[in-house]
Amino acid sequence: MPRNKYPEETVKKILDVSLKLFLEKGFEQTTVLDIVNNLGGLTRGAFYHHFKSKEEVLEALTERLFSETNPMEKVKQEKGLNGLDKLRLLMKQSVVEGFADEKKVALDKIALPLLSNPRFLAMHVKGIQEAALSIIPFIEEGMADGSIRPRNAKVLADLFMLLFSFWMIPTIYPCDDDEAGDRIMVIKEMLDACGFPLLDEDLLESLENLAALEYLLPKSE
């Protein structure tokens, strides 16, 4: 069958069509039938051959974006940087520069409002845990070269990810733009006190002036 002959092309088509519909209609308003009807002749069976639900499609869209951009691998190749500098570069590329990436902004617009859904919240927590594990080697490198105070690297990684990927998400902890700025400063003070001075002036300025922060914050009535 055609859908099995070129499975990668079929998956790409499903993802591309789904992203377009999620942005146009909203995730909740888009049905699997809507997606199938825009696949140019592919059947509902073709969709379900690759995905069990539209929720799985959204997961795949996020994974595809990460595999395309993956700042982790880029930072690993950097020479002449200590562990702390690599983490600063990683944060700049994944967070600050990430908000200039149209694909990432589009996915965030879809996914962030869904965090009130227990299933998506559980996915988000799992992602935080996996991300924390991935930055432990950089923290350990910083401890070895003296740029980060020696202590439990996993605890620092968990703290950092929870603060930025949980407390700083207004969908989970609502706040206005002034409070968001205050939270950033509190995070800096906490990390500094732990001997993990990640947020330098350059990162602070970038975080506080993110234009994309406007779509993350709740709309005022």
Side-chain angles (χ1 to χ4, degrees), residues 9-78:
E9 292 181 13
T10 300
V11 169
K12 182 180 183 304
K13 189 166 189 177
I14 292 172
L15 293 179
D16 290 343
V17 166
S18 298
L19 178 58
K20 182 174 183 292
L21 290 173
F22 292 162
L23 289 172
E24 291 177 350
K25 300 184 62 173
F27 179 82
E28 298 291 355
Q29 289 70 38
T30 300
T31 65
V32 170
L33 183 58
D34 291 329
I35 297 170
V36 171
N37 287 341
N38 284 271
L39 289 177
L42 291 176
T43 65
R44 190 189 293 250
F47 176 93
Y48 284 113
H49 179 74
H50 297 285
F51 300 100
K52 294 179 181 178
S53 65
K54 64 178 183 179
E55 286 79 10
E56 279 198 3
V57 172
L58 184 55
E59 288 181 56
L61 283 167
T62 302
E63 291 172 2
R64 182 175 73 171
L65 176 63
F66 181 78
S67 66
E68 289 174 350
T69 58
N70 195 353
M72 196 77 63
E73 293 303 319
K74 297 177 184 177
V75 171
K76 285 180 182 178
Q77 306 306 316
E78 290 292 331

Side-chain angles (χ1 to χ4, degrees), residues 119-187:
R119 170 173 178 167
F120 286 102
L121 182 59
M123 287 167 46
H124 185 64
V125 171
K126 181 181 177 182
I128 291 173
Q129 293 169 336
E130 292 174 350
L133 290 175
S134 70
I135 67 172
I136 288 176
F138 295 113
I139 295 177
E140 291 176 336
E141 183 178 344
M143 292 177 180
D145 62 39
S147 58
I148 299 173
R149 184 190 307 160
R151 60 191 314 137
N152 189 312
K154 183 177 185 303
V155 169
L156 286 183
D158 286 342
L159 174 65
F160 168 73
M161 292 305 306
L162 283 171
L163 290 173
F164 269 103
S165 299
F166 207 87
W167 191 43
M168 285 300 299
I169 303 297
T171 311
I172 303 173
Y173 280 94
C175 67
D176 58 25
D177 53 354
D178 289 333
E179 185 178 337
D182 289 340
R183 289 183 186 182
I184 290 171
M185 293 308 300
V186 168
I187 292 174

